[in-house]
Amino acid sequence: MPVRVLIVDDSAFMRSALGKMLSSDPEVEVAGTARDGLDALDKVVQLKPDLVTMDVEMPRMDGIEALRRIMASNPVPVIMVSSLTMAGAKATLEALEIGAVDFIPKNLSDLSINIVNIREILLEKVKQIGRRRIVPPRRFTAVRPEASPPRPDPSGYRIERRIGIVAIGTSTGGPKALQEVLPKLPKEFPVPVVVVQHMPPAFTGPFAERLNELCRVSVKEAEEGESLKPGVVFVAPGRGHMSIRKGRTGECVVSVSENRPDLIYRPSADVMLASVAEVFPGRALGVILTGMGNDGEKGMRAIKSGGGRTIAEDESTCVVYGMSRSVVEAGLADKVVPLQEVAGEIVNAV
């Protein structure tokens, strides 16, 4: 059975563009279209789609309000269609907290050079999310700073060399997954944390700010040349690929490169993880969470080969079992655990 999709957008161009992309795959069917949020509420009930693509800005009722009502009365997986702006980023992050599964860029007309990649990514997201019909909880409840962090488990990792850094890679479903993991880390976390979440440039800054509000550790968007510090989470900027290198005086610093057109996913988990394996041989902890594709597999192999430790999220909690699956099936995961146990495993490892 094909995945049946409802396209919600006030732009005839966008409805047509998305419709053509989706209809090009025999495993996907466009069940219908809606011009605004009110129309979408009716169509969700009438058509019972497997997945909805939802524009953010629309007349009569915008995508955020429509999403709230859909999640409250007829929950269905929703992918937001967002403009690649700061305002669009904040609205999309709000939508992800309300219950949207993921987002795609609205600026399709400006991305014609990469239209093949965009089509492939869109179809993969729609098919994987639509088939599993995963609907995140309507509201995410963060672990507040006064809550107790996970306690170290004496039966956990037993390694000779101390972990010097935690490196996390994720994609589809990652914003909620990171909001589950990072707020559980204790304030005095003894090592730096570096994170790659596949996101456009305008999104990673607001996303880091939101995480910082939820966490005991400090969270910020990484900047070129800044030194890594214990108890600080550095989110890779969406404008390029983050890696870690040794500075002139021996400290570990952030490096951001935009000259990698060969890489489909940006920022790249493989680039970040491989650099961590090189700079922290035998002392890196790699973590792969939910996400489509296999970005991160090569980097986790480098960490594993260098004597570091690896964790992968279990299929049972992944929104899309792609990145984690590639690591697990390649035999690169020391531990495979559900999302709610990831933070405890990280604390045990360091």
Side-chain angles (χ1 to χ4, degrees), residues 149-313:
R151 294 183 178 181
D153 180 359
S155 65
Y157 293 95
R158 300 187 184 281
I159 54 179
E160 296 179 0
R161 284 173 289 188
R162 182 182 180 87
I163 290 296
I165 191 170
V166 176
I168 303 174
T170 186
S171 182
T172 306
K176 279 189 176 293
L178 291 169
Q179 288 180 347
E180 169 72 23
V181 173
L182 296 179
K184 293 180 179 177
L185 300 182
K187 183 177 181 179
E188 303 301 327
F189 196 67
V191 302
V193 179
V194 286
V195 173
V196 161
Q197 162 71 57
H198 296 161
M199 274 187 171
F203 283 52
T204 46
F207 180 52
E209 292 174 5
R210 177 58 179 153
L211 287 174
N212 189 56
E213 295 173 357
L214 300 173
C215 296
R216 302 178 191 85
V217 291
S218 297
V219 184
K220 69 182 303 294
E221 184 180 41
E223 300 176 49
E224 172 69 33
E226 70 176 325
S227 299
L228 299 185
K229 299 176 182 178
V232 179
V233 177
F234 298 86
V235 176
R239 63 181 177 82
H241 304 290
M242 179 176 75
S243 59
I244 307 305
R245 60 178 174 80
K246 286 286 188 180
R248 293 181 179 179
T249 59
E251 78 280 19
C252 297
V253 300
V254 171
S255 178
V256 181
S257 172
E258 300 182 35
N259 301 318
R260 292 296 301 272
D262 57 310
L263 297 170
I264 296 176
Y265 302 109
R266 178 170 171 165
S268 166
D270 275 329
V271 169
M272 182 271 286
L273 292 165
S275 71
V276 164
E278 181 178 352
V279 177
F280 292 85
R283 298 180 57 234
L285 174 64
V287 181
I288 290 292
L289 304 177
T290 175
M292 68 177 194
N294 63 356
D295 186 28
E297 179 184 334
K298 294 178 181 178
M300 291 287 271
R301 187 180 300 279
I303 288 177
K304 180 83 168 174
S305 299
R309 308 297 292 181
T310 55
I311 299 171
E313 182 181 350

Side-chain angles (χ1 to χ4, degrees), residues 11-334:
S11 165
F13 167 79
M14 284 301 298
R15 293 195 301 272
S16 174
L18 289 172
K20 288 178 180 178
M21 287 187 188
L22 295 173
S23 299
S24 68
D25 192 312
E27 297 180 46
V28 179
E29 174 189 335
V30 177
T33 62
R35 296 173 178 268
D36 55 44
L38 280 175
D39 192 14
L41 298 181
D42 293 334
K43 294 290 180 63
V44 166
V45 174
Q46 295 171 11
L47 302 175
K48 296 180 172 55
D50 298 311
L51 182 143
V52 174
T53 67
M54 180 76 72
D55 186 19
V56 176
E57 297 181 6
M58 295 180 290
R60 295 208 303 168
M61 179 183 291
D62 64 25
I64 300 298
E65 181 58 29
L67 176 66
R68 283 196 182 95
R69 298 195 186 188
I70 289 172
M71 290 298 112
S73 58
N74 296 284
V76 61
V78 175
I79 296 178
M80 303 305 292
V81 182
S82 172
S83 61
L84 301 180
T85 63
M86 190 68 71
K90 291 181 178 179
T92 303
L93 292 174
E94 180 183 358
L96 292 172
E97 292 193 2
I98 293 170
V101 179
D102 202 8
F103 63 91
I104 55 175
K106 185 176 179 68
N107 308 51
L108 297 178
S109 59
D110 299 331
L111 300 172
S112 56
I113 295 177
N114 298 316
I115 200 70
V116 174
N117 287 342
I118 292 170
R119 173 184 170 275
E120 291 178 355
I121 292 172
L122 170 63
L123 287 171
E124 186 175 357
K125 286 184 178 184
V126 164
K127 287 189 288 187
Q128 292 204 39
I129 295 170
R131 283 171 181 157
R132 299 190 71 185
R133 289 188 64 87
I134 291 180
V135 180
R138 185 182 173 199
R139 277 290 182 184
F140 168 75
T141 302
V143 176
R144 296 303 173 185
E146 61 269 16
S148 299
R151 294 183 178 181
D153 180 359
S155 65
Y157 293 95
R158 300 187 184 281
I159 54 179
E160 296 179 0
R161 284 173 289 188
R162 182 182 180 87
I163 290 296
I165 191 170
V166 176
I168 303 174
T170 186
S171 182
T172 306
K176 279 189 176 293
L178 291 169
Q179 288 180 347
E180 169 72 23
V181 173
L182 296 179
K184 293 180 179 177
L185 300 182
K187 183 177 181 179
E188 303 301 327
F189 196 67
V191 302
V193 179
V194 286
V195 173
V196 161
Q197 162 71 57
H198 296 161
M199 274 187 171
F203 283 52
T204 46
F207 180 52
E209 292 174 5
R210 177 58 179 153
L211 287 174
N212 189 56
E213 295 173 357
L214 300 173
C215 296
R216 302 178 191 85
V217 291
S218 297
V219 184
K220 69 182 303 294
E221 184 180 41
E223 300 176 49
E224 172 69 33
E226 70 176 325
S227 299
L228 299 185
K229 299 176 182 178
V232 179
V233 177
F234 298 86
V235 176
R239 63 181 177 82
H241 304 290
M242 179 176 75
S243 59
I244 307 305
R245 60 178 174 80
K246 286 286 188 180
R248 293 181 179 179
T249 59
E251 78 280 19
C252 297
V253 300
V254 171
S255 178
V256 181
S257 172
E258 300 182 35
N259 301 318
R260 292 296 301 272
D262 57 310
L263 297 170
I264 296 176
Y265 302 109
R266 178 170 171 165
S268 166
D270 275 329
V271 169
M272 182 271 286
L273 292 165
S275 71
V276 164
E278 181 178 352
V279 177
F280 292 85
R283 298 180 57 234
L285 174 64
V287 181
I288 290 292
L289 304 177
T290 175
M292 68 177 194
N294 63 356
D295 186 28
E297 179 184 334
K298 294 178 181 178
M300 291 287 271
R301 187 180 300 279
I303 288 177
K304 180 83 168 174
S305 299
R309 308 297 292 181
T310 55
I311 299 171
E313 182 181 350
D314 185 72
E315 180 180 7
S316 63
T317 57
C318 285
V319 171
V320 173
Y321 188 51
M323 291 172 64
S324 183
R325 177 178 183 173
S326 67
V327 170
V328 172
E329 292 187 348
L332 301 175
D334 292 319

